[in-house]
Amino acid sequence: MHELGVVFQAIKIVEKVAKENNLTEIESVTVEIGEVSTVIESYLQNCWKWSVEKKSDIMHNCKLYVEKIPAITYCEDCGNKYETVAYGKTCPKCNSTHTYLLQGNEFNIKEIEGC
């Protein structure tokens, strides 16, 4: 379960931002997770709840909000952009496998709400 490591890193970044901005408490954090990032949201939420309660004073009651980024693949042969999960690495328009992922593998901290 790599979600715990992801959470620890996110908390470290959020605490640094809080310190730089003289925040005394973090109310919520919004993250973006790519559809094919391998981060499982339910595991992430469980790790988050445990970590902020046990490991961070400034984030003790902090909520985690998750937004999904759809996975989109680009075909180099025909220029088609398509849903990765539905079609995988093969372009549904021309059946080419000369494709690459445009988006959907990210994990971003989008927003930090503090006071």
Side-chain angles (χ1 to χ4, degrees):
M1 175 174 24
H2 69 284
E3 285 78 5
L4 188 57
V6 170
V7 165
F8 283 164
Q9 187 63 31
I11 288 172
K12 183 178 177 182
I13 292 167
V14 170
E15 286 179 337
K16 181 180 178 203
V17 170
K19 184 176 181 181
E20 290 170 353
N21 291 279
N22 298 317
L23 300 174
T24 57
E25 185 177 350
I26 303 298
E27 298 286 330
S28 69
V29 174
T30 302
V31 297
E32 299 173 314
I33 299 175
E35 188 175 26
V36 294
S37 69
T38 72
V39 175
I40 300 170
E41 184 178 349
S42 62
Y43 292 175
L44 185 73
Q45 290 285 0
N46 288 335
C47 290
W48 183 267
K49 287 175 189 173
W50 177 83
S51 297
V52 297
E53 287 178 12
K54 303 291 185 190
K55 301 289 183 186
S56 178
D57 293 330
I58 194 170
M59 298 174 67
H60 186 70
N61 295 313
C62 183
K63 293 182 175 85
L64 178 66
Y65 299 109
V66 176
E67 296 178 3
K68 293 282 186 171
I69 299 173
I72 304 294
T73 296
Y74 177 79
C75 177
E76 294 179 299
D77 289 341
C78 73
N80 185 35
K81 294 178 185 176
Y82 63 91
E83 297 175 23
T84 307
V85 174
Y87 300 101
K89 294 183 179 184
T90 303
C91 176
K93 186 174 179 181
C94 72
N95 291 320
S96 171
T97 57
H98 297 113
T99 61
Y100 61 87
L101 189 66
L102 287 176
Q103 69 178 43
N105 197 30
E106 302 89 345
F107 182 91
N108 303 316
I109 297 173
K110 179 181 178 184
E111 183 176 87
I112 301 168
E113 181 184 359
C115 56

